Amino acid sequence: MRGLALAVLLSTSVPGLAAPAAAESRSAGRAATVPCGDVTELIRQVNQANTVGAGVITLAPGCTYTLTAPAETSGPEGANGLPTVTGQLIIYGSAATITRDSATPFRIAEVATQGSLRLQGITVSGGSATADPGTDGGGILARGRLTLVASAVTGNTASHLGGGIAVTSGATAQLTATTVSGNQASDGGGIHVDTTGRLTVTSGSVKYNNATYTGGGLANFGSTVLSGSTIRDNTTEYFEGGGIYTATGPLTVTGGSIAWNTATTYGGGIANYGSTVLLVGTSVRDNTAGESGGGVFQGMGTFRLVGSPVIGNTPDQCAPPGTVPGCPQ
C-alpha cells in the first residue's frame, strides 16, 4: 500500500514531479474519492486508512470540507477535527480546503508518532488549539512525519506553540511550494520546531504570522533548513525574532529572503539565542526591531553570512556590534 500511495502522489500534476506509466497504471482507480463537502465520508476514509495502515484520499477540486465538531475530543494535546493519523496517509486535492467552523476549539489534524501525512493541493484553515493554555499546533500537530506540497496553512491559532504547524520532538516536516500565513501562537506563530524535531522548507513562504512572545514566523529549537523561501511580514508582540527565533538547533537558510518582519525587542529579521546559523545567498532587509538588531540579533551561538546582504533594517543591521562577521553596522 505504501508503494501504491507513492504512485498516486507522483501521478498528480505538481511541477517537477512525474510518475512512470507503470506507476500510473497501478494507481488508477485505487484512491478513495470524497464527494464535495462530505465531512462524514472524509472522516470515514481517514479511519479506514488508519485501520489498514495506509490510504490515499482525493478531495473534489475547489471544494471546502467544513468541520463543525471534533472527530476526537480526548488526548494530551486537545481535540482534533480529523481522526489522528496513525497510518501512512496521502490526501490530494486541487485547491480543496479543510476548515473549521465551530464554537468548539479544535485543531484540524494530528499525526501520531508512527504516522505519516502528506497533503497536496490542500488548504488547512481555521484550526484552534486553544482549549488549554499549553496546547500546540493550531492547524497541524506533527508527532510523526508531515509532508505538504503546493498547500497552505492559514488562519490557525494555538494557545502555546505553533499556530500553523507544531513539529514535536523527534518529528519531521517537509514543506514544498507551501504557504504558512496568518497564524497565531504564543511562540512560533507560523511554525514551531521542538528539540530534535526537523523542518525542511523549499520555496513557498511564511508570512503574516504573529507570536505573542518569540518567533513570529518561525521558532526553531530543532534542526531547520530553508531553501528559496520567503519569510516576510511576521511579528512578535513582546519579545524577539519577528521573522525567526532560533535556539539550540542549527538553522541553515539558502536563497530567498527575510524581509519586513517586526520584533518588539530584538531581532526583527532573526534572533539567535544558541543556534549555529548559516545564511547563503539570502537577503535580510527592511526588518524592524524595537530595541536593537533590526536585521539580526546575535545573543548566543554562531552566525555566518555568505553572500547574504543585510540592508535597510531599523534601527541597525546587526547587534550587538561585531557579533556577526561581515554584517554592516
Side-chain angles (χ1 to χ4, degrees), residues 35-96:
C36 187
D38 192 339
V39 170
T40 300
E41 179 62 12
L42 173 58
I43 291 173
R44 192 183 77 82
Q45 290 296 339
V46 175
N47 280 323
Q48 174 69 10
N50 287 336
T51 298
V52 301
V56 180
I57 297 171
T58 299
L59 303 185
C63 281
T64 297
Y65 296 78
T66 302
L67 308 174
T68 58
E72 297 175 339
T73 58
S74 62
E77 287 291 344
N80 299 312
L82 297 176
T84 299
V85 177
T86 59
Q88 315 301 305
L89 176 63
I90 297 171
I91 303 179
Y92 169 74
S94 178

Side-chain angles (χ1 to χ4, degrees), residues 11 18 31 63 82 102 109 118 130 138 150 154 158 166 170 172 175 189 206 209 211 222 235 242 261 275 298 310:
S11 68
C63 281
L82 297 176
S102 174
R118 181 168 184 137
T130 59
T154 183
T172 64
L175 281 58
V206 179
N209 302 284
T235 59
N261 302 286
S275 293
Q298 171 64 2
V310 184

Side-chain angles (χ1 to χ4, degrees), residues 105-216:
F106 56 87
R107 74 176 57 80
I108 303 300
E110 178 177 345
V111 186
T113 304
Q114 74 277 20
S116 172
L117 173 63
R118 181 168 184 137
L119 301 179
Q120 184 167 319
I122 304 289
T123 294
V124 172
S125 69
S128 179
T130 59
D132 295 306
T135 312
D136 302 335
I140 303 173
L141 178 63
R143 298 181 181 278
R145 184 170 59 193
L146 173 68
T147 303
L148 303 179
V149 179
S151 293
V153 179
T154 183
N156 303 281
T157 304
S159 58
H160 192 215
L161 309 177
I165 302 169
V167 184
T168 68
S169 295
T172 64
Q174 181 172 347
L175 281 58
T176 302
T178 290
T179 298
V180 179
S181 66
N183 303 286
Q184 164 75 40
S186 290
D187 296 283
I191 306 172
H192 186 281
V193 185
D194 212 340
T195 54
T196 73
R198 293 179 293 165
L199 170 68
T200 302
V201 180
T202 304
S203 69
S205 60
V206 179
K207 61 184 182 180
Y208 301 112
N209 302 284
N210 175 264
T212 305
Y213 301 115
T214 62

